[in-house]
Amino acid sequence: LIYSMKGITTENGRTYLVNSGILRQKTLKNKNLEKKMEINRIEKKLALSSLLLMLLFAASFMPFFNSTNKEKIQKTAILNPKYKNIVQFSIEKKGGTSIFFQKVEDKWLGKSQNSSMQEEFSNIFPVEKKLVSKFLENCQKVQEFHKISQSQNGIKKMELSDNKTSDFSLKFIEPDGKTLCEILFNLKNLRENRIYLRSTSTFSVFELQDENLTPFLNADADFWADPYIIPQNIFGTVSENDIQSASLFIQTEKNQEVKRIPQENYRKLLQLHHGHLLEQKYQTSEEPLKEESLKNPLKAQIKVELGNTKEIFINAEKKDKNTFVLNYSFPLEQHHINYNVCLSAWTFSRILELAEINE
């Protein structure tokens, strides 16, 4: 094989003889290498572009990038602080009891109504003032509300259409009886203390992470009711020094007696608790109950005089061998207290002991 020889002049002017065949072969190799490098650069650019497209596609499903699902946060409160002196509100539980709260002077009354009953209210009872204060304080607390929907479909999906589909309805009521606002609640995610709510005046559905409201919304009337046999939320907190006299009237078929409770026993009397609230039409025992002595009566009455014509009358009736029913019925301002609670036979025996009935 004969190779042609050519002279190549360099920059310094010198001429060299080179093998043109070898030069041509090296040139082809360089061109192929450059072509491969260019292809590699293009492939890297395509791969990078594909990766960016995939990331953008995935991000489009995230709320931050999706404008239609973008989560909006509002810092607000359930109850505007300017209504902190609200005097009426109600909590209605789906398929259960509704409780109406009304402020009377510096006290709160609760009026419970069972959905299965025809009467307007089953019990009208004193409410623990500190519980109402705490609940209203929680309602006025400014928190982060996450708006998750603003459509009819969202309302339907979260079961917040009305008080029949929601778990709870909270109404704040003006003194003239008009509803100031109504909030519907759904407790779908209690594990994370998340509740869903909306005002009936808007389509906006909010999610709220709060562990303070749920216990109040989910509570029955027993939670709110004054737990003491001698109520501490009717005439204010009653101390042993406030009691002028306390007596127990007992009547049986054979005997009747009025026993005064000694002053040294007032403190123990004030510490006694009753049981849960009862409906007005409670069922008595079908078994005949026997009266053996004054220490085992079927009926009794507790009377406590506090002065300034303030008196508390409590009627006790034996429901069965283990339970008594206490009935509270007396006027308060323009209202009338009227509620029933159960009392264990053991606690009733403690009252007899305080009245020093030993027969």
Side-chain angles (χ1 to χ4, degrees):
L1 183 60
I2 300 173
Y3 294 92
S4 61
M5 307 295 290
K6 293 184 178 179
I8 297 179
T9 303
T10 61
E11 292 180 359
N12 57 13
R14 294 185 180 180
T15 301
Y16 297 91
L17 295 177
V18 297
N19 189 319
S20 61
I22 294 174
L23 180 63
R24 193 162 42 249
Q25 191 176 25
K26 287 184 177 181
T27 302
L28 289 173
K29 286 182 178 180
N30 289 338
K31 287 183 177 181
N32 289 336
L33 181 61
E34 290 177 358
K35 187 174 182 180
K36 287 182 178 179
M37 292 175 66
E38 182 64 25
I39 291 172
N40 286 337
R41 283 196 295 269
I42 293 172
E43 288 178 346
K44 287 181 180 179
K45 288 181 179 180
L46 289 173
L48 182 60
S49 298
S50 299
L51 179 61
L52 289 173
L53 287 173
M54 289 176 65
L55 291 173
L56 288 172
F57 179 74
S60 67
F61 291 94
M62 298 172 63
F64 181 80
F65 289 93
N66 192 338
S67 60
T68 59
N69 294 325
K70 185 176 180 180
E71 185 180 61
K72 296 181 179 179
I73 299 177
Q74 295 184 11
K75 286 191 174 183
T76 184
I78 289 176
L79 178 64
N80 192 316
K82 73 178 183 178
Y83 298 113
K84 64 180 180 179
N85 295 321
I86 193 80
V87 295
Q88 297 180 108
F89 67 94
S90 67
I91 300 175
E92 183 177 349
K93 191 175 183 179
K94 181 171 68 173
T97 302
S98 62
I99 309 173
F100 175 79
F101 298 84
Q102 185 173 19
K103 193 172 185 179
V104 179
E105 299 295 335
D106 60 342
K107 298 166 284 291
W108 283 90
L109 293 183
K111 302 178 181 181
S112 62
Q113 180 184 35
N114 193 298
S115 59
S116 63
M117 298 182 66
Q118 299 298 320
E119 291 88 355
E120 183 179 358
F121 294 111
S122 173
N123 286 296
I124 302 176
F125 55 92
V127 171
E128 281 207 86
K129 184 178 178 180
K130 62 181 181 180
L131 292 178
V132 176
S133 298
K134 186 62 178 177
F135 174 67
L136 294 178
E137 179 184 318
N138 290 336
C139 289
Q140 296 166 40
K141 181 181 177 182
V142 176
Q143 301 184 78
E144 288 187 348
F145 288 73
H146 301 255
K147 185 186 289 186
I148 59 174
S149 174
Q150 197 170 4
S151 66
Q152 286 279 14
N153 289 334
I155 291 174
K156 187 176 181 180
K157 181 180 178 181
M158 300 311 297
E159 299 179 359
L160 291 171
S161 300
D162 51 43
N163 56 11
K164 293 181 181 179
T165 61
S166 61
D167 289 334
F168 301 97
S169 167
L170 171 62
K171 288 183 182 179
F172 292 103
I173 304 166
E174 297 185 89
D176 60 3
K178 294 181 180 178
T179 298
L180 178 66
C181 65
E182 181 178 8
I183 312 294
L184 304 177
F185 294 86
N186 208 322
L187 311 182
K188 284 184 171 292
N189 197 349
L190 288 179
R191 290 184 179 180
E192 298 180 8
N193 294 316
R194 291 186 177 272
I195 56 179
Y196 302 94
L197 65 151
R198 82 171 183 95
S199 169
T200 55
S201 62
T202 70
F203 292 116
S204 299
V205 177
F206 293 92
E207 182 185 65
L208 174 65
Q209 187 167 8
D210 188 294
E211 60 184 9
N212 297 318
L213 281 173
T214 306
F216 292 97
L217 294 173
N218 208 23
D220 55 20
D222 292 324
F223 170 82
W224 298 94
D226 187 312
Y228 295 95
I229 292 177
I230 308 302
Q232 298 292 302
N233 292 272
I234 294 180
F235 301 116
T237 302
V238 179
S239 70
E240 54 189 302
N241 295 325
D242 297 322
I243 299 177
Q244 290 190 354
S245 68
S247 56
L248 180 65
F249 174 78
I250 297 176
Q251 183 175 7
T252 66
E253 291 180 356
K254 298 180 180 179
N255 300 295
Q256 64 179 23
E257 188 169 349
V258 177
K259 294 285 289 186
R260 285 191 175 274
I261 299 174
Q263 187 175 0
E264 59 267 23
N265 290 338
Y266 288 171
R267 181 175 59 84
K268 293 179 180 179
L269 178 65
L270 293 172
Q271 292 174 345
L272 294 178
H273 288 62
H274 59 66
H276 60 82
L277 289 165
L278 293 170
E279 294 180 358
Q280 291 292 332
K281 293 183 179 180
Y282 58 86
Q283 297 293 321
T284 56
S285 174
E286 295 180 358
E287 298 180 4
L289 300 173
K290 296 181 180 180
E291 297 176 315
E292 297 178 353
S293 66
L294 291 175
K295 205 169 182 181
N296 186 24
L298 291 182
K299 295 182 179 181
Q301 185 184 74
I302 303 169
K303 179 182 178 182
V304 177
E305 296 181 12
L306 300 175
N308 296 324
T309 68
K310 293 179 181 179
E311 296 178 328
I312 299 175
F313 290 94
I314 308 167
N315 293 309
E317 180 180 0
K318 199 165 188 177
K319 182 172 182 285
D320 54 50
K321 62 180 181 179
N322 297 316
T323 312
F324 278 80
V325 174
L326 299 184
N327 171 257
Y328 296 77
S329 182
F330 50 88
L332 177 67
E333 306 296 338
Q334 305 298 319
H335 305 271
H336 191 84
I337 299 291
N338 188 21
Y339 65 105
N340 293 329
V341 297
C342 68
L343 184 73
S344 69
W346 182 88
T347 304
F348 186 78
S349 69
R350 291 285 296 130
I351 298 174
L352 295 176
E353 291 175 9
L354 294 177
E356 298 181 344
I357 295 178
N358 300 315
E359 294 183 13

